[in-house]
Amino acid sequence: MLSIAVWKFTSCDGCQLTLLDCEDELLPLTEKVKFAHFTEMTSVSEPGPYDISLVEGSVTTAAEAERIQRIREQSAVLVVIGACATAGGIQALRNFADVDEFRSVVYARPDYIETLATSTAIAEHVKVDYELRGCPIDKGQLLELLTALAAGRAPDLPDTSVCTECKRRGLTCVMVAHGTPCLGPVTHAGCGALCPAVNRGCYGCFGPMKQPNVPALVPLLRRSGMGDDELHLVFSTFNTAAEWS
Amino acid sequence: MTHRANRILQVAGLARVEGEGSLHVRTKGDQVESVELAIYEPPRFFEAFLRGRDFREPPDITARVCGICPVAYQLSACRAIEDACGADVGHRLRALRRLLYCGEWISSHTLHIYLLHAPDFLGFPDGIAMAAAHRETVERGLALKKAGNLIMETIGGRAIHPVNVRVGGFYRVPEFPELRALADTLRHALDDALETVRWVSGFDFPDLDVPHDLLALRDTDGYPLDRGEPVVSTGLRFPSSEFGEHVAEHQVPHSTALHARLDGRMFLTGPLARYTLNSDRLSPLAVSVAADAGLETSCRNPFRSIVVRAVEVVYAVEEALRIIETYERPDRPFVEVSPRAAVGHGITEAPRGLLYHRYEIDAGGRILSADIVPPTAQNQPAIEHDVARLVGRHAALDDHALVSLCERAIRNYDPCISCSAHFLDLTREHR
Ligand code: SF4
Ligand code: SF4
């Protein structure tokens, strides 16, 4: 039986919650894998080493930077889950700002608060074996990854764009048909084109696909009515520190 | 039992809460000197980076404060911005928002009841271990939770961080057949919800009666979820815009979460407060199952919060069915909201308590300042106080037993530590 550990760094818990949201698959899954450490779900915590570690969240404190090293040493396979862990998350907005000023906006006594000036992806600290994109990750991709690892095969994770998922679902292109600005052409596949399915442009929560052609998309976004400010804002959300170009 | 003059007790972590924190208890003889619930989850500075963003962004951005109650964040944000802009979404869109919120209540409460909280009462470390002995029960919980998530997927486009919510309403509103399919699932869910109340009402509840002031919303029609006016158990009521005048946050050295006080006093928000202040607003079915479960019209024992949550799930499933049955499809999925220089306030009832948002925007729709007061920050002083009372009362217990009692007591509040700033380490120091 594979032992799995789930670790939280700076995050909202949404990606690990995806595991508990596998209502139909959760109990059958526990016949194949054992959760040796998963604080959100169980009070039992078994010591490593672990076959698989799922890591949620970004590194924003010195203690987290040390903790990820110990987790890596204890884990045969390390999987990062979600935009926080793969790209620093929305909290990486501090990377482009003055963190002391941020601290003083939220806290009357900023000196009590320990934090790094940056929020960084797990791969910037340790070697990562697999990554699941998204804010939050997609349940289907998570299950594919876990069942593949349990079966000892390579997981089938797409690296195309949201556009391809839209086409596969037969959705009408929101940009072509309605002039709605959409990051689908440059965004990593995985969600199943959720936003276009509700007549909304993709806002990039799965981060950039492999080799995104952002310069080709920008004129289309402008034609759909996005100004400089909006262009800046839409690329600086949940994957602000990812490589968009 | 340990008879040492000085002892320090450490527990590696409070599990089955969302986020990271620790508890430090210091005692001298039989006297509890201090209890500090330290939330050391690193801060993420939402209120700082919201400045300069567009007024249409807070629903998507603030959802990411918490993966367990994203709808609460989305709807408090929407209401605050619409308040600033003088917009009203009308009753049809409002009904859909309430339906979405019912989905979040059902799935968040059911997650807490079945996977996080019930194992405490039945002596299991988690829901999976509990399933080995009570498979059908856990499956029932998972099915109920799934029904809640199905509402969020149908109305919100996704269960965690829904994509379909916007200032002014939605991007797309559902068609009747989608809602009919949802209603079929919800009719089964209602049986599961009723069975849940019966199940949890048979647990063994330690005695505790909390003296705190209670704060909840009160709505003119129905139990409070997506709107209402803040009311306090003292009789005080005030408009949402005066929230900041009554509830003040201050910082304590031991925690990254701020501590709140209501007019200078500690207080409690969440299921106990909601129920005690609004039990007359429940549906007849919810009222009767509450009575069968042994609840009076008010409930001040935090260990019984699991029963209140179960009753609230019954209400939420029924309410969702009612909304679906009376659904009038809005002509447009959203109302146009134009920015103006103003300050807006929005309060809704997250599953774990009242969630306040305030935004100041300029005429161009840029956010000048943002303030978010999550439920756990409000409850934190009361939680510390209740743990102190328990420790004082049960000082004779050995360290292990006392620690688990403290953990249980904390879990009663379903603290969402991520939302307050957050792994619980318990330290007990005897001096
Ligand atoms: S990636 Fe998004 S959903 Fe996942 S933990 Fe980070 S903020 Fe939450
Ligand atoms: S369409 Fe884009 S923004 Fe929407 S869920 Fe998918 S990746 Fe995220």
Side-chain angles (χ1 to χ4, degrees):
Chain A
M1 204 182 266
L2 286 179
S3 64
I4 299 190
V6 181
W7 307 98
K8 175 183 162 63
F9 286 74
T10 304
S11 66
C12 84
D13 284 51
C15 286
Q16 52 178 315
L17 178 66
T18 305
L19 207 47
L20 300 177
D21 273 359
C22 296
E23 290 95 1
D24 296 333
E25 300 86 0
L26 187 62
L27 295 179
L29 189 65
T30 57
E31 287 153 20
K32 282 185 238 155
V33 304
K34 179 179 76 188
F35 291 102
H37 175 93
F38 184 1
T39 313
E40 186 167 282
M41 185 189 78
T42 175
S43 329
V44 175
S45 171
E46 294 176 16
Y50 310 100
D51 296 316
I52 304 170
S53 274
L54 300 177
V55 180
E56 170 193 274
S58 65
V59 173
T60 70
T61 64
E64 286 184 332
E66 279 173 30
R67 188 155 68 99
I68 192 61
Q69 302 294 338
R70 295 197 297 273
I71 291 170
R72 176 70 266 192
E73 287 160 16
Q74 306 260 303
S75 316
V77 173
L78 188 144
V79 182
V80 288
I81 55 169
C84 295
T86 58
I90 187 137
Q91 54 275 12
L93 282 168
R94 76 180 72 184
N95 302 6
F96 314 103
D98 173 357
V99 79
D100 289 330
E101 196 265 343
F102 269 27
R103 220 180 335 217
S104 69
V105 169
V106 182
Y107 297 100
R109 288 293 307 266
D111 49 315
Y112 291 164
I113 304 297
E114 273 180 45
T115 181
L116 294 173
T118 53
S119 166
T120 43
I122 301 299
E124 294 197 27
H125 299 265
V126 295
K127 179 179 164 288
V128 162
D129 299 299
Y130 295 99
E131 65 173 27
L132 288 182
R133 298 291 201 84
C135 180
I137 56 171
D138 174 73
K139 192 157 110 173
Q141 289 205 331
L142 176 64
L143 287 167
E144 162 59 19
L145 182 102
L146 293 179
T147 38
L149 293 178
R153 62 171 171 86
D156 178 15
L157 301 169
D159 59 2
T160 57
S161 71
V162 168
C163 265
T164 60
E165 304 191 292
C166 237
K167 303 293 166 287
R168 210 173 298 137
R169 284 183 70 170
L171 297 173
T172 306
C173 177
V174 295
M175 197 148 56
V176 172
H178 313 294
T180 306
C182 180
L183 298 193
V186 296
T187 299
H188 197 284
C191 72
L194 293 175
C195 293
V198 298
N199 300 327
R200 177 182 190 178
C202 169
Y203 58 92
C205 82
F206 273 60
M209 64 180 296
K210 210 169 168 182
Q211 297 176 321
N213 192 346
V214 175
L217 178 65
V218 166
L220 293 173
L221 296 175
R222 285 193 191 282
R223 204 190 302 154
S224 310
M226 273 193 166
D228 287 342
D229 275 4
E230 281 174 291
L231 273 168
H232 167 71
L233 288 176
V234 79
F235 282 105
S236 43
T237 55
F238 313 103
N239 289 279
T240 184
E243 297 281 331
W244 284 97
S245 49
Chain B
M1 196 161 135
T2 318
H3 296 281
R4 272 189 291 153
N6 301 300
R7 57 180 183 165
I8 295 176
L9 192 125
Q10 302 241 32
V11 171
L14 181 80
R16 289 183 278 126
V17 297
E18 197 212 351
E20 306 200 320
S22 66
L23 184 72
H24 188 102
V25 179
R26 199 176 293 134
T27 54
K28 195 174 190 179
D30 284 346
Q31 296 294 312
V32 182
E33 282 196 322
S34 69
V35 170
E36 291 178 349
L37 177 63
I39 289 177
Y40 58 83
E41 167 114 1
R44 296 197 288 151
F45 304 117
F46 279 85
E47 289 148 315
F49 60 63
L50 279 164
R51 294 168 308 161
R53 306 289 307 204
D54 186 85
F55 77 118
R56 289 163 292 191
E57 294 188 285
D60 288 324
I61 291 180
T62 63
R64 271 71 180 186
V65 172
C66 172
I68 299 193
C69 57
V71 170
Y73 281 86
Q74 294 188 320
L75 294 187
S76 284
C78 285
R79 290 189 49 88
I81 292 161
E82 288 154 13
D83 177 46
C85 302
D88 181 0
V89 301
H91 76 281
R92 294 183 181 190
L93 288 166
R94 189 205 155 206
L96 278 179
R97 281 185 170 173
R98 195 168 164 88
L99 175 57
L100 176 67
Y101 220 143
C102 288
E104 177 154 292
W105 270 33
I106 297 165
S107 65
S108 172
H109 273 355
T110 307
L111 170 77
H112 189 257
I113 293 169
Y114 280 85
L115 294 181
L116 311 184
H117 206 190
D120 273 341
F121 291 93
L122 300 178
F124 294 99
D126 54 62
I128 306 290
M130 195 167 82
H134 306 275
R135 177 96 183 192
E136 275 177 26
T137 304
V138 175
E139 283 179 344
R140 179 180 68 219
L142 291 169
L144 186 54
K145 178 165 158 295
K146 192 177 168 189
N149 279 343
L150 186 67
I151 299 180
M152 293 205 277
E153 287 160 7
T154 309
I155 311 300
R158 178 160 67 186
I160 302 170
H161 306 330
V163 297
N164 190 26
V165 175
R166 61 181 284 172
V167 169
F170 297 90
Y171 290 90
R172 175 188 176 272
V173 292
E175 309 278 355
F176 289 100
E178 293 170 80
L179 291 184
R180 273 195 291 273
L182 191 54
D184 291 339
T185 304
L186 289 172
R187 278 187 280 268
H188 288 286
L190 188 54
D191 293 335
D192 289 341
L194 292 168
E195 200 49 50
T196 304
V197 180
R198 279 191 282 272
W199 179 55
V200 298
S201 67
F203 292 171
D204 196 10
F205 302 103
D207 278 336
L208 188 67
D209 197 34
V210 293
H212 316 298
D213 292 348
L214 305 172
L215 170 70
L217 292 182
R218 183 138 171 105
D219 193 357
T220 42
D221 46 18
Y223 202 68
L225 271 119
D226 56 317
R227 69 168 191 190
E229 196 180 71
V231 295
V232 187
S233 48
T234 54
L236 175 74
R237 50 196 310 154
F238 51 86
S240 299
S241 59
E242 285 172 18
F243 183 84
E245 287 159 39
H246 293 280
V247 177
E249 284 184 306
H250 62 104
Q251 192 183 357
V252 291
H254 64 268
S255 179
T256 49
L258 299 168
H259 271 207
R261 292 251 189 280
L262 171 65
D263 293 328
R265 294 146 61 111
M266 65 175 84
F267 66 104
L268 206 55
T269 178
L272 295 187
R274 265 191 313 253
Y275 181 82
T276 299
L277 295 165
N278 293 283
S279 53
D280 61 322
R281 289 269 192 266
L282 284 167
S283 60
L285 178 64
V287 166
S288 81
V289 295
D292 292 345
L295 287 179
E296 313 205 344
T297 52
S298 82
C299 176
R300 286 179 166 271
N301 180 351
F303 288 94
R304 282 187 184 271
S305 64
I306 191 169
V307 186
V308 175
R309 281 189 192 91
V311 169
E312 288 190 339
V313 173
V314 169
Y315 178 83
V317 176
E318 265 195 298
E319 181 71 359
L321 279 165
R322 188 193 62 79
I323 293 170
I324 292 172
E325 276 153 22
T326 55
Y327 180 57
E328 302 166 82
R329 194 162 190 269
D331 303 324
R332 294 196 56 202
F334 59 91
V335 297
E336 216 55 72
V337 180
S338 316
R340 63 181 190 193
V343 175
H345 311 264
I347 312 185
T348 67
E349 284 284 349
R352 39 201 67 68
L354 197 140
L355 170 61
Y356 169 78
H357 285 222
R358 169 190 170 279
Y359 300 96
E360 182 185 358
I361 61 173
D362 69 16
R366 192 179 292 272
I367 296 170
L368 300 173
S369 68
D371 189 17
I372 299 173
V373 184
T376 301
Q378 300 178 61
N379 285 342
Q380 206 179 328
I383 300 176
E384 286 181 351
H385 179 265
D386 297 346
V387 170
R389 279 181 52 202
L390 272 177
V391 171
R393 234 191 259 177
H394 299 274
L397 290 174
D398 67 21
D399 285 356
H400 180 78
L402 190 58
V403 163
S404 22
L405 186 65
C406 291
E407 286 187 313
R408 282 188 63 179
I410 292 170
R411 254 181 240 120
N412 286 335
Y413 301 94
D414 188 12
C416 170
I417 300 181
S418 302
C419 88
S420 27
H422 327 240
F423 209 97
L424 216 72
D425 263 327
L426 185 108
T427 324
R428 180 195 199 187
E429 211 177 281
H430 263 268
R431 299 197 305 139

mmCIF file of all heavy atoms in Angstrom, chain B residues 11 39 49 56 99 173 208 225 279 281 333 370-371 423:
data_model
loop_
_atom_site.group_PDB
_atom_site.id
_atom_site.type_symbol
_atom_site.label_atom_id
_atom_site.label_comp_id
_atom_site.label_asym_id
_atom_site.label_seq_id
_atom_site.Cartn_x
_atom_site.Cartn_y
_atom_site.Cartn_z
ATOM 1 N N VAL B 11 1.929 19.186 21.801
ATOM 2 C CA VAL B 11 1.301 18.252 20.886
ATOM 3 C C VAL B 11 1.673 18.673 19.483
ATOM 4 O O VAL B 11 1.655 19.849 19.164
ATOM 5 C CB VAL B 11 -0.227 18.258 21.060
ATOM 6 C CG1 VAL B 11 -0.896 17.467 19.966
ATOM 7 C CG2 VAL B 11 -0.559 17.693 22.421
ATOM 8 N N ILE B 39 -2.203 31.425 15.953
ATOM 9 C CA ILE B 39 -2.388 31.090 14.567
ATOM 10 C C ILE B 39 -1.138 31.546 13.855
ATOM 11 O O ILE B 39 -0.870 32.731 13.768
ATOM 12 C CB ILE B 39 -3.669 31.751 14.050
ATOM 13 C CG1 ILE B 39 -4.847 31.028 14.700
ATOM 14 C CG2 ILE B 39 -3.728 31.730 12.544
ATOM 15 C CD1 ILE B 39 -6.196 31.567 14.370
ATOM 16 N N PHE B 49 -2.855 43.738 -0.948
ATOM 17 C CA PHE B 49 -2.751 43.727 -2.414
ATOM 18 C C PHE B 49 -4.075 43.981 -3.122
ATOM 19 O O PHE B 49 -4.099 44.141 -4.327
ATOM 20 C CB PHE B 49 -2.014 42.501 -2.948
ATOM 21 C CG PHE B 49 -2.594 41.156 -2.639
ATOM 22 C CD1 PHE B 49 -3.840 40.794 -3.114
ATOM 23 C CD2 PHE B 49 -1.846 40.233 -1.915
ATOM 24 C CE1 PHE B 49 -4.351 39.540 -2.852
ATOM 25 C CE2 PHE B 49 -2.355 38.976 -1.636
ATOM 26 C CZ PHE B 49 -3.613 38.636 -2.106
ATOM 27 N N ARG B 56 -14.185 44.983 -9.752
ATOM 28 C CA ARG B 56 -14.867 43.731 -10.117
ATOM 29 C C ARG B 56 -14.077 42.493 -9.693
ATOM 30 O O ARG B 56 -14.542 41.367 -9.854
ATOM 31 C CB ARG B 56 -15.079 43.687 -11.640
ATOM 32 C CG ARG B 56 -16.146 44.683 -12.102
ATOM 33 C CD ARG B 56 -16.061 44.932 -13.592
ATOM 34 N NE ARG B 56 -14.811 45.660 -13.897
ATOM 35 C CZ ARG B 56 -14.547 46.207 -15.090
ATOM 36 N NH1 ARG B 56 -15.416 46.114 -16.067
ATOM 37 N NH2 ARG B 56 -13.405 46.834 -15.284
ATOM 38 N N LEU B 99 -29.259 30.139 -3.190
ATOM 39 C CA LEU B 99 -29.158 28.714 -3.534
ATOM 40 C C LEU B 99 -27.689 28.273 -3.543
ATOM 41 O O LEU B 99 -27.330 27.222 -2.997
ATOM 42 C CB LEU B 99 -29.806 28.498 -4.906
ATOM 43 C CG LEU B 99 -29.719 27.110 -5.520
ATOM 44 C CD1 LEU B 99 -30.305 26.056 -4.603
ATOM 45 C CD2 LEU B 99 -30.455 27.075 -6.874
ATOM 46 N N VAL B 173 -26.923 32.055 -15.962
ATOM 47 C CA VAL B 173 -27.901 31.513 -15.007
ATOM 48 C C VAL B 173 -28.412 30.173 -15.526
ATOM 49 O O VAL B 173 -28.486 29.962 -16.726
ATOM 50 C CB VAL B 173 -29.067 32.493 -14.738
ATOM 51 C CG1 VAL B 173 -28.577 33.719 -13.980
ATOM 52 C CG2 VAL B 173 -29.770 32.910 -16.024
ATOM 53 N N LEU B 208 -20.973 22.281 28.901
ATOM 54 C CA LEU B 208 -20.274 23.565 28.876
ATOM 55 C C LEU B 208 -21.321 24.552 28.441
ATOM 56 O O LEU B 208 -22.139 24.259 27.560
ATOM 57 C CB LEU B 208 -19.110 23.538 27.864
ATOM 58 C CG LEU B 208 -18.184 24.750 27.865
ATOM 59 C CD1 LEU B 208 -17.388 24.822 29.169
ATOM 60 C CD2 LEU B 208 -17.210 24.703 26.690
ATOM 61 N N LEU B 225 -28.498 33.850 5.786
ATOM 62 C CA LEU B 225 -27.400 33.290 4.992
ATOM 63 C C LEU B 225 -26.709 34.418 4.237
ATOM 64 O O LEU B 225 -25.631 34.849 4.580
ATOM 65 C CB LEU B 225 -27.931 32.307 3.937
ATOM 66 C CG LEU B 225 -28.111 30.846 4.259
ATOM 67 C CD1 LEU B 225 -29.559 30.472 4.096
ATOM 68 C CD2 LEU B 225 -27.279 30.042 3.301
ATOM 69 N N SER B 279 -33.656 30.908 15.816
ATOM 70 C CA SER B 279 -34.332 29.612 15.735
ATOM 71 C C SER B 279 -35.797 29.784 15.314
ATOM 72 O O SER B 279 -36.380 28.894 14.704
ATOM 73 C CB SER B 279 -34.203 28.829 17.048
ATOM 74 O OG SER B 279 -34.630 29.612 18.131
ATOM 75 N N ARG B 281 -36.741 31.555 12.973
ATOM 76 C CA ARG B 281 -36.762 31.772 11.530
ATOM 77 C C ARG B 281 -36.542 30.479 10.741
ATOM 78 O O ARG B 281 -36.512 30.497 9.516
ATOM 79 C CB ARG B 281 -35.662 32.761 11.131
ATOM 80 C CG ARG B 281 -35.903 34.181 11.547
ATOM 81 C CD ARG B 281 -36.621 34.928 10.449
ATOM 82 N NE ARG B 281 -36.630 36.361 10.667
ATOM 83 C CZ ARG B 281 -37.622 37.014 11.267
ATOM 84 N NH1 ARG B 281 -38.662 36.355 11.744
ATOM 85 N NH2 ARG B 281 -37.563 38.327 11.397
ATOM 86 N N PRO B 333 -28.302 37.551 -16.707
ATOM 87 C CA PRO B 333 -27.565 36.896 -15.615
ATOM 88 C C PRO B 333 -26.996 37.878 -14.583
ATOM 89 O O PRO B 333 -26.622 37.477 -13.496
ATOM 90 C CB PRO B 333 -26.427 36.154 -16.330
ATOM 91 C CG PRO B 333 -26.540 36.450 -17.779
ATOM 92 C CD PRO B 333 -27.716 37.326 -18.020
ATOM 93 N N ALA B 370 -9.289 48.038 1.641
ATOM 94 C CA ALA B 370 -10.141 46.875 1.850
ATOM 95 C C ALA B 370 -9.972 46.393 3.283
ATOM 96 O O ALA B 370 -8.907 46.519 3.877
ATOM 97 C CB ALA B 370 -9.745 45.759 0.887
ATOM 98 N N ASP B 371 -11.060 45.902 3.830
ATOM 99 C CA ASP B 371 -11.022 45.382 5.192
ATOM 100 C C ASP B 371 -11.854 44.105 5.221
ATOM 101 O O ASP B 371 -12.989 44.107 4.762
ATOM 102 C CB ASP B 371 -11.631 46.436 6.134
ATOM 103 C CG ASP B 371 -11.450 46.084 7.596
ATOM 104 O OD1 ASP B 371 -10.599 45.222 7.903
ATOM 105 O OD2 ASP B 371 -12.156 46.673 8.445
ATOM 106 N N PHE B 423 -2.101 24.747 11.746
ATOM 107 C CA PHE B 423 -1.580 23.594 12.359
ATOM 108 C C PHE B 423 -1.511 23.843 13.842
ATOM 109 O O PHE B 423 -0.918 24.812 14.247
ATOM 110 C CB PHE B 423 -0.185 23.400 11.878
ATOM 111 C CG PHE B 423 0.179 22.002 11.891
ATOM 112 C CD1 PHE B 423 0.070 21.330 10.709
ATOM 113 C CD2 PHE B 423 0.527 21.344 13.006
ATOM 114 C CE1 PHE B 423 0.391 20.023 10.717
ATOM 115 C CE2 PHE B 423 0.835 20.027 12.973
ATOM 116 C CZ PHE B 423 0.766 19.388 11.829
#
